[in-house]
Amino acid sequence: MTTGQIYDLGYAPHEGERLGRSGAMRAITKDGIKRALGIGRKARSKLMPMGLILAAMAPAIVLVGIAFVFKSEFDLEAGDLLGSPATYFDLIATLALLFIALAAPAVMIPDRRDNVLAVYSSRPVSAADYLIARGGSLAILMLAFLVLPQLVLLVGLAALDPSGLFSAMVSDSGEVLRVFAASIGYVGAFGVPAFLVASFAKRTGMAAGMTIIGLPLLDGIAEALSQSNLPGSSLAPLLGVATLGGAVRDWVFGRSNATFSQAGLPLWTAAAALVVVAVIVAAVVLRRYRREL
Amino acid sequence: MTIGTNPALVSDATIEVRGVSKWFGNKVAVSDVTCSFGPGITGLLGPNGAGKTTLLRMMMGLTSPSQGSVSMFGENPRRAPSVFKDVAFVPEDDAVYPFLTARQFVRYAASLTSSEITESAVTAALDQVEMLDAADRPISDYSKGMRQRTKVAAALVHNPRVLVLDEPLNGTDPVRRASLIDLFKKLAAAGHTIVISSHVLQEVERLATRVIAMVDGKLAAAGDIHAIRAAMSDIPYQVRIDTDVPRQVAAALLSLDTVSGIDMLESGLRVETTDLSSVGNVLPRIASDLDARITRFEPVDESLESVFRYLVKANR
């Protein structure tokens, strides 16, 4: 006689609490960060983002290493090595542009290309929620890209400071805030245009290329216009969106900016221009996604 | 349960569509449709281009009606995304990330709705659609049927009360199709509202007793499939009768006023009648008089296919 038994594998359907918009937005943000960094995907997907992050961190690690080795001989401090944290932005700004130009398409385009927007539409998120979450993941990534190396440098040098880590960090806290504020400027200057391009482009490579080529091109046009005698040419620097990031950085760190000085524009206008750009991009992208979400 | 005499409406509706029209430029995709959906399976039926997908998209808040209104759990789905906590949609398009595995995709879909999705619930959803064996392979390696089942698993993982599926059985093999049909029936029996759109009549016939049929963007019929057939009084029923003496039985049936024609078949007859019960009532007496053996008496055209063909003709 044969016998048989059906085993209970312990599977249970979901009966847990259902989250609202905030839960869904958190999940979309987290997914965006993982996707941009290639987490959970093949090594090839991680190569560029992780390589760029390492390249951005490298100067900080090297400088801390130099300080560690030579500190006792030369009594080095952060300012001796770098001048100001603002200088570090000069080192990594191009890397940040490359990073966000690649990250934005990786986050935005597969949702449309693979028709997955319909999945979001049947979850408790509106088009605005989706865009805030996706844009949020890009902003977090870019802030981390810009701020983390500076933190490594500041904390590393503070740890070597004779006054002790805590005391050195307290005295550097103003610098940390300025680094953070300047980074937000770069998010507006690089991240917002990259987000706009990735919201419309159909292919990831094309979107990255458009951002990498388009932003410097726009800067060049703005520069040429500002040198001309055309009416309103003094406002032309505000069209160079990518250079606005550097202008905001200079404003935050109290440095002068040659382009804005020549045009007779106060540096706060760069921040104001970036806010205007961000609002326009948000409206355009929302209108585009409301058709599908 | 239907409301009053209008079979397009149900009393315990979770989704209500009221006087909805949708046009794209000069093209009217959906025209003044009023219907509702409640617990159980409702088949949304119609040929390609009938407006089914547009109606589903309006129900899911993916597009707004040009006229009329749609509500889900009493709320406008375009203005109250929170209604989707308890809803899932399986679109006709692939709608999966090819670079994820089915398990990763189902887990992500779950995370969009709930904080407490356990690995057990993810596994259960994959198991329900028989995707456990392939769950850890990238979706890019899947057949169309497997991608289809992955979408269904992603829709089921948070145990939604409302499940809307646009052509969910496309590309699935017959065995998996049968098991998905069983799964939908079980969910319906457990009180879930299930709306299944399809242009494959046999599919809907196996799945749903209640149908909403659309032709050219309009509501062509609604309600129980058998009741719809009964309402088509101007076309005769067809009945298959198998007997050992077909010619004699045919001659006897032709004396009835309600019989309009008879086709002789190899092993019986196909009778056209305007009154099915009159043939059924008289057949035992004919069999007795002729000493005939009746081995089959079956209406042969009460299938969705014939109802559907009729509706399309009637609306054009």
Side-chain angles (χ1 to χ4, degrees):
Chain A
M1 190 179 78
T2 58
T3 59
Q5 187 177 355
I6 296 170
Y7 297 102
D8 179 3
L9 297 179
Y11 299 151
H14 175 65
E15 287 172 357
E17 179 205 357
R18 276 158 171 75
L19 294 179
R21 300 160 73 170
S22 61
M25 287 171 74
R26 272 199 302 277
I28 296 169
T29 305
K30 198 171 144 191
D31 171 73
I33 292 170
K34 284 169 67 180
R35 200 185 297 171
L37 297 177
I39 294 169
R41 297 181 60 185
K42 289 177 182 169
R44 199 179 51 188
S45 306
K46 298 180 184 70
L47 199 62
M48 281 305 284
M50 295 302 185
L52 288 167
I53 289 169
L54 278 177
M57 298 287 276
I61 294 166
V62 168
L63 288 171
V64 171
I66 291 171
F68 178 74
V69 172
F70 296 108
K71 178 182 170 295
S72 53
E73 290 177 45
F74 301 105
D75 195 21
L76 288 170
E77 288 182 2
D80 302 326
L81 288 165
L82 206 59
S84 153
T87 316
Y88 203 95
F89 285 115
D90 290 333
L91 293 176
I92 62 169
T94 307
L95 295 175
L97 174 60
L98 282 175
F99 178 77
I100 202 66
L102 293 168
V107 170
M108 301 299 293
I109 291 179
D111 293 347
R112 299 196 311 276
R113 184 191 60 205
D114 300 322
N115 301 310
V116 186
L117 288 178
V119 172
Y120 296 102
S121 71
S122 59
R123 294 295 190 273
V125 281
S126 64
D129 296 337
Y130 166 84
L131 290 170
I132 290 168
R134 283 288 189 232
S137 59
L138 291 172
I140 290 168
L141 280 165
M142 203 174 165
L143 280 175
F145 187 92
L146 292 161
V147 172
L148 282 179
Q150 301 250 25
L151 281 181
V152 167
L153 184 62
L154 288 169
V155 172
L157 295 177
L160 299 172
D161 196 286
S163 64
L165 174 67
F166 182 75
S167 150
M169 282 306 296
V170 168
S171 69
D172 285 345
S173 58
E175 292 289 51
V176 173
L177 287 176
R178 277 189 283 277
V179 163
F180 195 77
S183 299
I184 291 172
Y186 279 104
V187 170
F190 298 164
V192 170
F195 181 65
L196 175 70
V197 170
S199 297
F200 285 87
K202 290 185 175 164
R203 301 174 73 92
T204 51
M206 187 195 292
M210 282 170 71
T211 305
I212 292 165
I213 295 167
L215 281 178
L217 194 66
L218 195 60
D219 280 353
I221 293 168
E223 176 75 22
L225 284 173
S226 69
Q227 304 290 328
S228 72
N229 293 321
L230 291 170
S233 60
S234 63
L235 295 174
L238 298 176
L239 293 175
V241 179
T243 52
L244 295 179
V248 169
R249 173 207 58 201
D250 293 340
W251 180 47
V252 166
F253 284 97
R255 301 198 322 178
S256 64
N257 181 291
T259 309
F260 275 66
S261 298
Q262 280 172 16
L265 287 170
L267 284 173
W268 63 263
T269 55
L274 284 177
V275 171
V276 172
V277 169
V279 170
I280 292 169
V281 166
V284 170
V285 173
L286 184 60
R287 185 179 162 79
R288 188 247 180 281
Y289 274 83
R290 275 216 170 121
R291 278 183 272 146
E292 296 184 65
L293 258 171
Chain B
M1 186 185 292
T2 58
I3 294 179
T5 55
N6 188 349
L9 303 175
V10 292
S11 58
D12 45 357
T14 41
I15 306 171
E16 291 178 275
V17 176
R18 292 179 221 89
V20 160
S21 299
K22 178 76 183 179
W23 50 83
F24 302 98
N26 288 332
K27 181 173 167 46
V28 178
V30 174
S31 174
D32 196 22
V33 170
T34 296
C35 58
S36 59
F37 303 86
I41 302 181
T42 303
L44 182 60
L45 190 66
N48 286 326
K52 305 185 299 294
T53 297
T54 304
L55 183 64
L56 288 187
R57 287 175 61 82
M58 287 191 283
M59 282 159 55
M60 298 307 297
L62 278 163
T63 184
S64 52
S66 306
Q67 191 175 288
S69 65
V70 174
S71 68
M72 189 174 298
F73 299 118
E75 305 255 22
N76 178 347
R78 275 186 80 74
R79 296 214 181 125
S82 58
V83 300
F84 290 105
K85 287 179 190 178
D86 240 340
V87 177
F89 177 47
V90 176
E92 187 180 4
D93 300 322
D94 262 355
V96 285
Y97 292 119
F99 47 81
L100 296 182
T101 66
R103 190 182 296 279
Q104 288 169 332
F105 183 69
V106 172
R107 197 183 291 137
Y108 178 53
S111 73
L112 294 173
T113 317
S114 177
S115 62
E116 295 174 7
I117 292 292
T118 59
E119 208 49 40
S120 168
V122 172
T123 303
L126 289 162
D127 191 36
Q128 279 180 310
V129 298
E130 299 178 32
M131 278 297 294
L132 267 185
D133 289 347
D136 296 308
R137 276 166 41 201
I139 292 173
S140 55
D141 291 351
Y142 289 176
S143 66
K144 172 144 182 80
M146 291 165 86
R147 292 198 297 273
Q148 200 76 355
R149 285 183 282 138
T150 302
K151 283 191 295 177
V152 175
L156 292 176
V157 68
H158 66 291
N159 202 18
R161 279 162 60 201
V162 175
L163 187 57
V164 178
L165 307 106
D166 195 1
E167 307 276 0
L169 304 177
N170 273 3
T172 52
D173 63 67
V175 176
R176 298 280 165 38
R177 187 174 292 225
S179 90
L180 280 178
I181 287 172
D182 281 347
L183 172 63
F184 298 144
K185 283 182 173 173
K186 276 182 202 157
L187 291 168
H192 296 247
T193 296
I194 299 183
V195 182
I196 296 182
S197 141
S198 179
H199 69 281
V200 182
L201 303 163
Q202 292 84 349
E203 261 177 33
V204 177
E205 197 162 27
R206 287 170 68 191
L207 272 163
T209 50
R210 179 174 185 260
V211 294
I212 299 283
M214 292 181 71
V215 175
D216 290 341
K218 296 176 192 146
L219 192 64
D224 181 89
I225 184 64
H226 305 294
I228 293 172
R229 178 61 184 88
M232 291 155 48
S233 55
D234 57 334
I235 62 161
Y237 288 89
Q238 292 198 356
V239 190
R240 171 75 185 258
I241 299 172
D242 283 359
T243 172
D244 53 344
V245 286
R247 288 187 179 282
Q248 290 89 325
V249 171
L253 285 172
L254 276 174
S255 65
L256 292 174
D257 292 342
T258 57
V259 171
S260 53
I262 295 179
D263 287 334
M264 300 303 297
L265 306 172
E266 201 172 307
S267 58
L269 321 164
R270 184 163 55 228
V271 179
E272 281 192 4
T273 174
T274 52
D275 184 359
L276 194 59
S277 59
S278 71
V279 176
N281 290 340
V282 82
L283 200 60
R285 184 175 56 75
I286 292 172
S288 169
D289 290 349
L290 297 174
D291 197 20
R293 195 163 152 259
I294 307 290
T295 53
R296 183 179 182 188
F297 175 80
E298 184 181 45
V300 289
D301 72 337
E302 209 172 69
S303 67
L304 270 177
E305 182 91 36
S306 61
V307 173
F308 194 52
R309 210 178 297 122
Y310 171 85
L311 292 172
V312 171
K313 260 193 229 162
N315 280 277
R316 281 186 173 155

